[in-house]
Amino acid sequence: MISSFVGYFVVGVLLLYSGITQAQPEMEHHHHNDHHAMKMDETGMVMNENADKLPEDCSEIRREYQFEVTAGTEYAKPFPGTTFGFSDHQWQVEPCSRITVTFINQDRVRHQWMVHGLPKYLYDQGMFHMEAAGGHRQSGTFIVPSDDRTYLVHCDIAQHMEKGMKAQLVVGRGSGDLWSVPGVSATFERADETMPRWLWGAGLFCLMIAAGLVVVWKARISR
Ligand SMILES: [Cu+2]
């Protein structure tokens, strides 16, 4: 009787633990210690801007794009479970394009528009990065390589990506949608989804305690 209770208890703890570990957002750490190709002032910064160096697989600039991206809490409204958002969560471009993004921050807190996975010989740490202080805008240009690829775009400020600031830049046919991009991969129930998983583990844990108490109570009665 006691050993089966211990068994349930261990299973309960394991389930609760797995619920907790799965609820942990994946974190990426970046070290911004390189100061070349960086513009910075009180309105924000632009890092690794590249308007003229061609990726080695491109013979010419195939197309020019100008995007205006607005960041703010109002763009989170269509997506339950999010707090922040971009005015668009997906941009489609041709390979070897030159892209100029004007990033407008409507919130009071600072926000970023950061692309990952670009060639490291052109972009330090493979990223192009803009940050706009609250109420400010930044503008920057970069050139994408020739391969079909989907690049992660996000705001790297703690918890902002998890709260909705995740997007994708699709070059050519792309390489598949990224996970939980609001309005794109339509699985932003993630915030809602992790809650029940937590509650489920916690609920089970309570149930185990209750079962244990019943066992102890019954044992006392039969004494
Ligand atoms: Cu942000």
Side-chain angles (χ1 to χ4, degrees), residues 39 41-46 69-71 86 102-114 129-139 155 157 160 165:
K39 276 191 307 206
D41 61 25
E42 70 287 347
T43 67
M45 67 163 165
V46 179
V69 181
T70 309
F86 296 122
T102 300
F103 182 51
I104 304 156
N105 183 356
Q106 289 184 342
D107 284 344
R108 286 189 172 193
V109 296
R110 68 201 164 99
H111 284 305
Q112 302 168 339
W113 195 89
M114 190 190 271
H129 178 196
M130 284 193 287
E131 179 172 308
H136 288 280
R137 64 172 64 201
Q138 295 295 329
S139 205
C155 173
I157 292 167
H160 285 205
M165 302 195 95

Side-chain angles (χ1 to χ4, degrees), residues 72-200:
T73 49
E74 84 167 84
Y75 300 103
K77 281 177 193 157
F79 309 107
T82 67
T83 308
F84 302 113
F86 296 122
S87 48
D88 290 291
H89 292 94
Q90 174 167 268
W91 302 273
Q92 223 131 10
V93 299
E94 283 193 23
C96 301
S97 291
R98 175 157 50 206
I99 303 157
T100 298
V101 175
T102 300
F103 182 51
I104 304 156
N105 183 356
Q106 289 184 342
D107 284 344
R108 286 189 172 193
V109 296
R110 68 201 164 99
H111 284 305
Q112 302 168 339
W113 195 89
M114 190 190 271
V115 192
H116 289 272
L118 294 165
K120 290 188 174 152
Y121 60 85
L122 281 180
Y123 305 89
D124 183 45
Q125 295 172 74
M127 71 180 186
F128 168 73
H129 178 196
M130 284 193 287
E131 179 172 308
H136 288 280
R137 64 172 64 201
Q138 295 295 329
S139 205
T141 301
F142 63 106
I143 301 168
V144 293
S146 68
D147 46 333
D148 292 315
R149 206 170 148 182
T150 304
Y151 294 84
L152 167 68
V153 178
H154 73 140
C155 173
D156 198 32
I157 292 167
Q159 291 297 312
H160 285 205
M161 178 167 75
E162 289 74 10
K163 289 177 178 170
M165 302 195 95
K166 185 173 181 181
Q168 63 185 25
L169 172 68
V170 181
V171 176
R173 281 166 291 158
S175 53
D177 285 340
L178 300 177
W179 180 60
S180 80
V181 175
V184 175
S185 31
T187 49
F188 214 89
E189 290 78 51
R190 191 178 165 227
D192 304 329
E193 191 183 284
T194 50
M195 266 314 275
R197 210 183 272 153
W198 261 89
L199 287 176
W200 193 69

